[in-house]
Amino acid sequence: MNDRRSTQLQDLPREMLDMVLMKTALIKLSEWLAVEPPSNVFMPLIIIPLRSVWSEWNYRLTARWFRIVFKRLLKKRAVSFHLLEKLFPSPNYLTYGVAMLENSICILCCQPKIVCIYDNSAPFALSKEIPIDDIESPHSMASCRQSGSLYITDSGTKCIWKVSRNNFQPTLWLNGISKPFTLSFSADENHLLLLRDGKDSSVLEIYGLDAVLVRSLSLPGSFHFPLHAVQLSNGNFVISHWKSEADTVGKWVISQLNSNGHLISQFSSSEKLQALQYPRHLVLDRNRQWLIVSDYGNNRVVLFSSKSLAWKQILLTREDDRIRLPRLCYDEAKEMLIVGNFGADMNFPGGIIYVYRLTID
């Protein structure tokens, strides 16, 4: 079968064979740069080599596409990825979150309810499994270097639990919270950031490490279903959320707010390949210049500028890297990106954890 296809390709006129290869190359390049392919790429191949039907309109479309591509290539960052290790919790473990705590990679599992602790250097050995049976419905996890603890949201009992590095015993940290979801910490890691989706408006609540509410920041009226928040070095907040544009229309976007809650910039794309789908997790690199986004619904990881929120490039995809429903955390000291996957491998349906060495020039 393969020999027959090869013979058929060899029998094609050289110009038509070039166009077949060009079509494939253009589509791949478009996907890499998140640019819509030129529409004439999808014209029947039999008429593409016939210059008599190659209209001026198609030339203009192609020229416009190349201008966009060259601009993207000029902005393309030199990103190096090296897969260091794959961590395999038990095949029946359902992984829900990842976090870094000192020299450990922490994996939150909700079935069974445990936290797996791995060393953050080769051979990335499993050092401990912490039972968290008191947590009814563990949903998300974040770590704080200042307190040396993990913090876990519990959507069942509507509270946040704290797991200290000293004894690894879950203790109730904050209760009485409606719809607790994802957690994060401020740039100095002295405050916990908690997003809450209210009926009339959404808020960003800021707590001290003593669980006392320091501030409640009202978000703009177009902010709905806030997913995750991180804080930049200048004090601004970056939040992924649903933006309502009409009564029944909206899209997933990423917004930057100043410390008073005023909108500064926003990423919102009409291009299909750049459209986000449920951007659940945000992480920053060591210098807080680059924003790494878990484009959860599209099964990919995307790089943005943290200051301008400009799209830079796709880092990982399901097709090329077996990424599915990614959860993220970043080891600043070792420049490692830890990616939790759900159901990416049939032998490990609960999830596989990928550990990457990530360098961004």
Side-chain angles (χ1 to χ4, degrees):
M1 183 65 133
N2 292 335
D3 292 341
R4 187 182 308 165
R5 289 180 179 175
S6 177
T7 302
Q8 290 174 349
L9 284 175
Q10 291 175 2
D11 292 341
L12 287 174
R14 177 58 184 271
E15 186 176 21
M16 184 177 290
L17 180 58
D18 289 344
M19 294 309 300
V20 173
L21 298 175
M22 181 178 290
K23 173 184 176 181
T24 303
L26 290 179
I27 293 173
K28 282 296 182 182
L29 183 59
S30 297
E31 292 174 350
W32 188 56
L33 294 170
V35 177
E36 292 289 346
S39 58
N40 50 5
V41 168
F42 300 101
M43 292 174 62
L45 289 176
I46 191 64
I47 69 171
I48 290 180
L50 304 179
R51 300 185 184 279
S52 60
V53 298
W54 189 267
S55 66
E56 181 182 353
W57 175 246
N58 283 327
Y59 273 125
R60 289 179 178 178
L61 286 177
T62 304
R64 179 178 179 273
W65 180 84
F66 273 108
R67 284 197 297 270
I68 295 173
V69 165
F70 285 134
K71 287 181 180 179
R72 291 273 167 84
L73 284 173
L74 288 174
K75 295 179 180 179
K76 198 78 174 174
R77 306 305 304 180
V79 177
S80 74
F81 257 111
H82 176 58
L83 180 61
L84 297 177
E85 190 61 75
K86 294 180 182 179
L87 308 181
F88 298 93
S90 170
N92 298 320
Y93 286 8
L94 182 61
T95 58
Y96 245 61
V98 293
M100 287 297 308
L101 183 61
E102 296 180 1
N103 296 321
S104 300
I105 299 172
C106 306
I107 312 300
L108 173 65
C109 302
C110 64
Q111 294 179 5
K113 293 184 284 188
I114 61 171
V115 176
C116 298
I117 308 294
Y118 290 85
D119 298 335
N120 72 337
S121 57
F124 298 93
L126 175 64
S127 61
K128 188 183 293 291
E129 289 188 352
I130 306 167
I132 51 172
D133 295 327
D134 291 338
I135 304 178
E136 182 178 323
S137 299
H139 193 83
S140 182
M141 178 173 65
S143 62
C144 177
R145 284 176 295 187
Q146 295 286 10
S147 65
S149 302
L150 298 170
Y151 295 79
I152 301 173
T153 55
D154 185 345
S155 58
T157 54
K158 300 180 180 179
C159 64
I160 298 175
W161 295 80
K162 176 181 176 181
V163 181
S164 173
R165 179 79 183 191
N166 294 329
N167 55 22
F168 288 112
Q169 293 296 319
T171 57
L172 186 62
W173 186 75
L174 182 66
N175 60 10
I177 303 173
S178 62
K179 300 180 181 179
F181 193 52
T182 56
L183 301 172
S184 56
F185 282 87
S186 58
D188 59 9
E189 297 203 18
N190 284 320
H191 297 91
L192 180 142
L193 309 180
L194 176 65
L195 287 166
R196 298 178 66 181
D197 183 33
K199 181 178 180 181
D200 299 320
S201 63
S202 299
V203 297
L204 172 62
E205 293 183 340
I206 303 173
Y207 291 85
L209 298 183
D210 54 1
V212 174
L213 179 64
V214 176
R215 190 180 178 196
S216 181
L217 191 66
S218 296
L219 304 180
S222 61
F223 281 45
H224 298 287
F225 306 112
L227 298 178
H228 204 200
V230 293
Q231 188 178 35
L232 304 180
S233 300
N234 60 7
N236 292 345
F237 299 100
V238 176
I239 300 174
S240 58
H241 63 95
W242 178 264
K243 176 187 177 184
S244 59
E245 298 180 335
D247 291 339
T248 58
V249 179
K251 64 177 64 174
W252 293 105
V253 302
I254 300 175
S255 300
Q256 182 176 174
L257 307 176
N258 64 15
S259 57
N260 294 319
H262 298 142
L263 183 64
I264 297 176
S265 61
Q266 188 172 85
F267 173 80
S268 174
S269 177
S270 58
E271 292 187 34
K272 182 178 179 180
L273 288 172
Q274 284 192 353
L276 300 173
Q277 184 62 37
Y278 204 73
R280 178 170 173 166
H281 285 117
L282 312 174
V283 296
L284 296 164
D285 75 322
R286 179 170 57 184
N287 299 318
R288 297 186 174 263
Q289 293 182 343
W290 304 107
L291 178 72
I292 304 169
V293 177
S294 163
D295 193 2
Y296 192 80
N298 286 323
N299 298 306
R300 63 185 182 181
V301 179
V302 185
L303 181 68
F304 288 81
S305 165
S306 64
K307 295 182 179 179
S308 65
L309 297 186
W311 172 290
K312 293 303 177 183
Q313 68 190 77
I314 298 172
L315 298 178
L316 301 167
T317 66
R318 182 173 185 176
E319 293 75 17
D320 296 332
D321 308 287
R322 299 178 63 82
I323 298 300
R324 185 174 184 270
L325 304 178
R327 288 89 162 161
L328 304 177
C329 72
Y330 185 75
D331 185 342
E332 296 182 1
K334 295 195 172 185
E335 294 186 314
M336 294 192 310
L337 180 69
I338 294 90
V339 182
N341 290 276
F342 177 74
D345 190 306
M346 293 300 294
N347 296 320
F348 290 85
I352 297 176
I353 311 303
Y354 293 112
V355 182
Y356 291 93
R357 176 82 69 199
L358 172 62
T359 303
I360 307 174
D361 294 338

